[in-house]
Each structure stands twice: as C-alpha cells, then as structure tokens.
C-alpha cells in the first residue's frame, strides 16, 4: 500500500521554516555587573586570602578572566563613561569624578598642591551613542540598577538608553548608607534595615524574570564597595574571627607618597561589604539558571577602578600590584575583568591587556547588533581573543589632569604590549615600566630602554595633542612649606590614627553604633 504524501501549503511551509530559523537565532541576553571601588585582589579567584566570594569564584570558572584587565580611569565617573561610550577619557572629556573641584576651587581642600587641576565635562554627552542605546536600537529591553554618577537631572540612565532605572542618579555614594531607608529618590525604601546591595540584586533578578521572553540588556551597578564601609553585625563577627584566626598583624599601614597605604586585608567591615556583593551576584545568577537563561546570557563582571588603599575609607590592599584607587600605579587601574559567553571556552586566563572601552565593541560584536555609533570607538572587540587568537599590540591611553582624594597626582599614561609609560604633569618627567615582570613598578627602565621610552613618549604626545586635552596649570600661590607640613601630618598624625582604628575594628566588643548602621531593627 502506497504511503500518503502530506503536502503543506506554501505559506505554512515558509512560516514553519522561518520559525525554525528564528528559534536558532535568538539574540543573546547581556548582564553587565559593575562594582564600585572593588580591588584587583579583593576576590577569592583573584587572590584574596581574607574575603570569601563563592558565587564570583564560580562565575570566574565559567568565564574568560583577563588578568591584565584595566578600568578606563583611576576614579569612577570617567571609567563609567568609558564603558558607556567605548572611548578613552581624553575623548569623552569626563576626566575626573563628577563633582570634583578644579582650578582655584581646589585650594579650598587645603592640600597645598603645586598645580591647579584642569576642568572636565560634568555629564555624559547626549550626542554620542551609549552602550544601552546600541542595544535598545536593536530591540532589547534595557534596565539599570544602582550607581550612575554620570550627570544630574536630564542625564540619568533613562536619558541615555535605559528603559527603566532603579537607584541611579547624580550621587556617587549611597546617601542613606547601605541599609534602608536609602535617601535616594530613584528607589523606594524597603523595610527598615533592608540591605541595598541585595535589593539591587533582587531588582535585576525580577527584571530578568519579567523579560525572559525577549532579549534584554541589564546593567547591575553596585554602590558597594564604595564608602561608607558598612556591614551587619553577624558579618563583622565572622570576619573578625577569621582575622584573628589568621593572626592579626601589629602593623597594617605604611606611608606612601602622600598618604598612608593599607598593606593588609583584614577589615571585617569591608569583607562583609564584599560578601554582600557576592550574595547579590548569586541572586541574579541563580535566577538566570532557574529560568533556563544562563546558556543564552553573556555575563560581564568588572570594577570601575582599583581598590581603596589610601584615602576614603582606607579599606583594602591590592596585594599583587602597587597602589590603589585614584593613583596612576597598577592598583589604581587594574581591576577584575570577566567575560562569560555561552558556547565559548571558559575557565581560562589571558594576559593580553584589555580595558573598559573594549566592552562596547565586544558586546555589540557578540550580540550581532547593527549599530553605527556617532562617536569614534577607541576600544577593540575582544571576540578574536575569546576565540583563541592573539591580536597585535595596541595602545591604551589614560588622561587624568587632576589630584585624587587618594593621593594621586596629575598624569597621563599609555600601555602598549608589556610596557607602560607614565608622564607626570607637575614636572614633566616620565617613567617606564615592564609590567609583566614588575607589577609593583619598582624598576624604572627608561635609561636601559631608550628606544622603547622614545616610542611611547611620541605615541602619548601625539595622542594628547590630537585630542587637544585640558591640562593642569602651576598654582602661583603654591607654598612648599605648607605642602611639606601636610605630608608630615599624614605620617605623624593620620597614620597612627588609622592603625588604632584598624585594631579597634578587630576588638571583640567593637560596634559602630547600637543598630549597626541601621541593619538591626526593633520591629
């Protein structure tokens, strides 16, 4: 008996084939996780002996880790603008954190520095194409949660391509601290004592749930681990006991160029704050897995600048590199840098230097977006690296014509291949370092390598001239005696005070106040 032949109408056949094609070409989702002030060695997978980050350690095992990953700047706003625009700081013009004083206003800090800092752009330009806008233009739902610090009213996340914004406004730190009430007009308060970091994780997880049927771009931008450094009593107890079991050092600071530098990771409050970030990341990653979206979602994890070794809360030490936030040393710009791409090799580390400007072209490439950004994209797509190729060396530039709250000085830098050149604007001198062999930048090599020095000097000069950058100017009222007196106070007064505070944090009966920064409630 002859089998019957089923003939589908042409229209139905085309519809079925088109549906199958669409099913195999579902655009990937993107989850971008940005931590504030997280140090290069603050995580378990990156070498911390003290902090515990199991969720991030697991993410690292599923990702490509770039161990020479850099932020776009040594401080927050410029680095965030670099991620959003794919440009270096000299191009987008936000060269300092928004709100920092410039010119003669700098004198009000009474730091008596030799130069007056240059001016800078005070909000993200509306003329360019942001990373969020690139995804939105391609049909993605876009969502922002957390710290913005790229401008005030009229230059919030919703003005730059995000469909929704929770907690992002002009402030660079959590106005109400890390426990509700938050004193933030862009987020509703939770129950008294609610943890802000965990709340942001839940907000993103809920957005993912509500967007599971369509492609999304979610940007989780923690206020942690920026000051104020606050944690709950149980977290403090856990890490205080751990510090004691590891052996509490008598000294935890040494004098740096302008400020004391922390030299040990043993701050139980900071460790608790890092742990809250890890927990919040776990909330989001667990939601992706529970919805079956983890194999369709690209995950990025990084920090906006290096950990705070000096200044602010003197919270951590970067262990494997010199210096920290606000400084031109590796510790100021070297950051955790993970990219997880389903279907691509995972669990490997790469040495090729990459930077925050690379996220824009990389994510656009990975998602297959059709976009034509208004601005020049200075980052490069890292897809060839993810696929196992090794591109030729390229130049990465940093321009910071300012003084930092953490002891940093006005300077510009370029890294090309293994070499890094630093130009100091106070006196114009330059230093050359071979970073793979000297991450603590102790061996200045310009005399031994005059050809490399000349090459990088010319490269940096051409770039800064092309960009017509703003520069600091000498302060005609500079007083060397007052400057030296302040340095003496930092060593003779501040350093002993920091050592005492550090040991106080580790006493069995220490407490910040009766309700532990609002984390303990009586309801």
């Amino acid at each position: 008996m002859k089998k019957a032949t089923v003939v589908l109408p042409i229209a139905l056949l085309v519809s079925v084939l088109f549906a199958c094609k669409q099913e195999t070409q579902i655009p990937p989702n993107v989850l971008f996780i940005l931590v504030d002030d997280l140090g290069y060695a603050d995580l378990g997978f990156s070498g911390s002996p003290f902090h515990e980050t199991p969720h991030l350690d697991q993410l690292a095992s599923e990702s490509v880790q770039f161990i020479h990953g850099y932020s776009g700047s040594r401080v927050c706003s410029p680095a965030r603008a670099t991620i959003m625009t794919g440009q270096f700081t000299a191009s987008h013009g936000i060269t300092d954190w928004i709100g920092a004083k410039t010119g003669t206003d700098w004198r009000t800090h009474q730091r008596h520095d030799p130069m007056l800092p240059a001016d800078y752009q005070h909000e993200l330009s509306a003329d360019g194409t942001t990373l969020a806008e690139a995804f939105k233009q391609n049909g993605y739902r876009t969502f922002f949660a957390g710290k913005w610090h790229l401008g005030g009213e009229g230059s919030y996340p919703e003005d730059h391509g995000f469909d929704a914004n929770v907690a992002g406004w002009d402030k660079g730190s959590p106005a109400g601290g890390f426990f509700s009430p938050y004193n933030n007009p862009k987020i509703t308060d939770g129950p008294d004592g609610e943890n802000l970091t965990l709340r942001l994780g839940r907000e993103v997880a809920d957005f993912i749930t509500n967007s599971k049927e369509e492609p999304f771009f979610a940007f989780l931008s923690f206020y942690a681990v920026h000051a104020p450094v606050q944690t709950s009593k149980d977290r403090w107890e856990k890490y205080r006991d751990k510090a004691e079991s590891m052996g509490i050092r008598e000294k935890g600071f040494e004098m740096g160029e302008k400020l004391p530098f922390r030299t040990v990771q043993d701050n139980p409050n900071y460790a608790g704050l890092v742990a809250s970030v890890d927990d919040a990341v776990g909330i989001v990653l667990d939601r992706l897995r529970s919805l079956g979206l983890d194999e369709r979602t690209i995950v990025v994890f990084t920090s906006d600048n290096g950990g705070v070794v000096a200044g602010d809360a003197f919270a951590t030490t970067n262990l494997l590199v010199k210096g920290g936030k606000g400084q031109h040393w590796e510790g100021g710009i070297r950051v955790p840098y993970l990219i997880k791409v389903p279907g691509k090799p995972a669990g490997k580390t790469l040495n090729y230097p990459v930077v925050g400007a690379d996220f824009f072209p990389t994510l656009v490439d990975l998602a297959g977006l059709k976009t034509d950004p208004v601005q020049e994209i200075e980052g490069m797509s890292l897809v060839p690296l993810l696929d196992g190729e090794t591109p030729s060396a390229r130049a990465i530039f940093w321009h910071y014509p300012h003084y930092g709250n953490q002891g940093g000085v006005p300077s510009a830098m370029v890294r090309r291949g293994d070499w890094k050149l630093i130009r100091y604007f106070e006196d114009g001198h330059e230093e050359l370092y071979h970073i793979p062999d000297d991450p603590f930048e102790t061996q200045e090599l310009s005399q031994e390598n005059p050809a490399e020095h000349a090459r990088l000097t010319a490269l940096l000069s051409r770039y800064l001239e092309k960009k017509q950058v703003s520069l600091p100017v000498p302060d005609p009222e500079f007083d060397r005696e007052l400057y030296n007196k302040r340095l003496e106070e930092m060593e003779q007064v501040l350093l002993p005070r920091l050592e005492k505070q550090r040991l106080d944090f580790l006493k069995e009966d220490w407490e910040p106040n009766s309700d532990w920064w609002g984390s303990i409630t009586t309801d």
Side-chain angles (χ1 to χ4, degrees):
M1 184 176 182
K2 186 181 291 185
K3 292 183 179 179
T5 301
V6 179
V7 180
L8 292 175
I10 293 296
L12 179 58
L13 180 61
V14 170
S15 176
V16 169
L17 292 174
F18 181 76
C20 292
K21 183 178 181 181
Q22 289 293 95
E23 183 66 23
T24 61
Q25 293 184 350
I26 298 174
N29 305 308
V30 176
L31 169 63
F32 196 115
I33 305 171
L34 179 65
V35 191
D36 194 11
D37 291 356
L38 185 72
Y40 176 65
D42 273 340
L43 306 164
F45 72 82
S46 60
S48 176
F50 187 57
H51 307 141
E52 297 178 14
T53 54
H55 298 293
L56 287 166
D57 295 348
Q58 177 63 33
L59 177 62
S61 73
E62 300 167 354
S63 306
V64 172
Q65 178 186 355
F66 293 88
I67 60 174
H68 286 250
Y70 289 101
S71 62
S73 176
R74 65 187 78 174
V75 294
C76 59
S77 299
R80 292 163 185 272
T82 289
I83 290 170
M84 286 293 165
T85 65
Q87 294 187 308
F88 301 140
T89 54
S91 293
H92 59 64
I94 303 176
T95 52
D96 206 355
W97 61 274
I98 295 175
K101 294 182 178 182
T102 61
T104 56
D105 287 344
W106 182 253
R107 294 176 186 148
T108 62
H109 287 305
Q110 298 297 306
R111 297 180 191 174
H112 311 293
D113 290 305
M115 305 193 84
L116 299 175
D119 200 3
Y120 57 90
Q121 296 296 320
H122 286 246
E123 66 179 26
L124 190 62
S125 173
D127 296 333
T129 303
T130 67
L131 185 56
E133 287 168 338
F135 277 90
K136 186 173 181 177
Q137 291 166 1
N138 282 267
Y140 277 68
R141 293 189 67 188
T142 57
F143 183 81
F144 185 91
K147 174 174 172 173
W148 178 244
H149 205 186
L150 285 173
E153 195 74 41
S155 188
Y156 284 159
E158 57 267 37
D159 302 305
H160 291 284
F162 289 99
D163 296 322
N165 165 33
V166 175
W169 61 322
D170 59 321
K171 296 295 185 290
S173 60
F178 282 101
F179 300 97
S180 184
Y182 301 123
N183 192 23
N184 182 330
K186 289 293 187 176
I187 185 172
T188 57
D189 288 333
D192 286 354
E194 180 187 59
N195 185 292
L196 174 61
T197 305
L198 299 182
R199 167 70 177 278
L200 294 175
R202 289 192 290 269
E203 291 281 354
V204 172
D206 290 345
F207 164 76
I208 289 171
T209 297
N210 295 330
S211 306
K212 62 180 182 291
E213 301 300 331
E214 50 193 318
F216 62 78
F217 174 74
F219 202 106
L220 174 52
S221 177
F222 291 110
Y223 280 95
V225 292
H226 192 287
V229 176
Q230 300 173 340
T231 193
S232 56
K233 185 177 182 180
D234 60 324
R235 282 274 167 79
W236 169 80
E237 289 176 340
K238 172 182 176 177
Y239 287 103
R240 192 218 74 85
D241 292 347
K242 183 173 184 177
E244 185 174 63
S245 69
M246 292 174 63
I248 298 174
R249 298 185 192 176
E250 181 181 351
K251 298 292 183 182
F253 289 88
E254 63 183 28
M255 190 62 195
E257 286 83 351
K258 290 196 173 189
L259 289 170
F261 281 26
R262 179 179 268 271
T263 59
V264 60
Q265 288 185 358
D266 65 0
N267 185 336
N269 299 316
Y270 184 73
L273 196 55
V274 172
S276 70
V277 167
D278 188 71
D279 286 345
V281 170
I283 289 171
V284 182
L285 297 182
D286 285 347
R287 187 68 60 89
L288 285 173
R289 283 189 285 268
S290 69
L291 295 172
L293 297 177
D294 54 317
E295 292 304 316
R296 279 176 41 200
T297 303
I298 299 163
V299 181
V300 166
F301 178 85
T302 192
S303 175
D304 62 349
N305 48 248
V308 184
V309 171
D312 299 346
F314 296 85
T316 189
T317 180
N318 290 306
L319 293 175
L320 307 175
V321 289
K322 181 178 179 178
K325 176 185 177 180
Q327 300 166 0
H328 50 280
W329 308 115
E330 287 291 284
I333 53 175
R334 189 92 73 91
V335 292
Y337 199 115
L338 302 178
I339 302 179
K340 175 188 176 183
V341 184
K344 292 191 180 293
K348 64 179 181 178
T349 60
L350 296 179
N351 294 318
Y352 189 88
V354 297
V355 68
D358 297 334
F359 288 124
F360 192 121
T362 299
L363 293 175
V364 164
D365 197 355
L366 287 170
L369 304 188
K370 296 180 179 179
T371 185
D372 185 18
V374 174
Q375 73 276 15
E376 173 195 6
I377 301 297
E378 294 179 294
M380 60 174 276
S381 173
L382 303 181
V383 171
L385 277 159
L386 296 173
D387 288 337
E389 300 176 23
T390 303
S392 58
R394 51 79 185 254
I396 299 171
F397 297 97
W398 295 267
H399 179 56
Y400 186 77
H402 313 284
Y403 289 99
N405 293 335
Q406 303 80 22
V409 296
S411 58
M413 301 180 292
V414 58
R415 177 161 178 182
R416 187 178 185 278
D418 292 340
W419 295 95
K420 174 182 171 184
L421 180 81
I422 305 168
R423 177 178 298 171
Y424 296 84
F425 291 132
E426 286 183 341
D427 60 9
H429 89 276
E430 295 178 342
E431 295 173 355
L432 180 70
Y433 296 99
H434 190 266
I435 296 303
D437 294 334
D438 186 20
F440 287 94
E441 294 161 280
T442 59
Q443 301 296 317
E444 201 285 307
L445 298 173
S446 58
Q447 295 296 317
E448 292 87 343
N449 297 271
E452 190 65 42
H453 182 203
R455 186 179 301 114
L456 291 185
T457 292
L459 192 63
L460 182 58
S461 294
R462 285 196 300 269
Y463 180 78
L464 296 180
E465 182 178 353
K466 176 185 176 183
K467 296 299 177 181
Q468 298 181 317
V469 297
S470 297
L471 295 170
V473 297
D475 185 352
E477 297 183 13
F478 173 62
D479 188 318
R480 176 67 64 178
E481 184 176 343
L482 290 175
Y483 176 80
N484 289 335
K485 182 179 179 181
R486 183 173 184 273
L487 294 183
E488 290 175 4
E489 290 176 352
M490 295 301 99
E491 183 169 12
Q492 296 173 12
V493 179
L494 180 59
L495 192 152
R497 187 164 75 232
L498 289 169
E499 289 286 13
K500 179 181 182 305
Q501 180 192 62
R502 170 181 161 265
L503 294 176
D504 284 345
F505 286 164
L506 295 166
K507 291 180 178 177
E508 290 186 1
D509 59 351
W510 181 84
E511 61 179 14
N513 56 9
S514 60
D515 67 358
W516 280 79
W517 295 297
S519 64
I520 297 175
T521 61
T522 57
D523 295 343

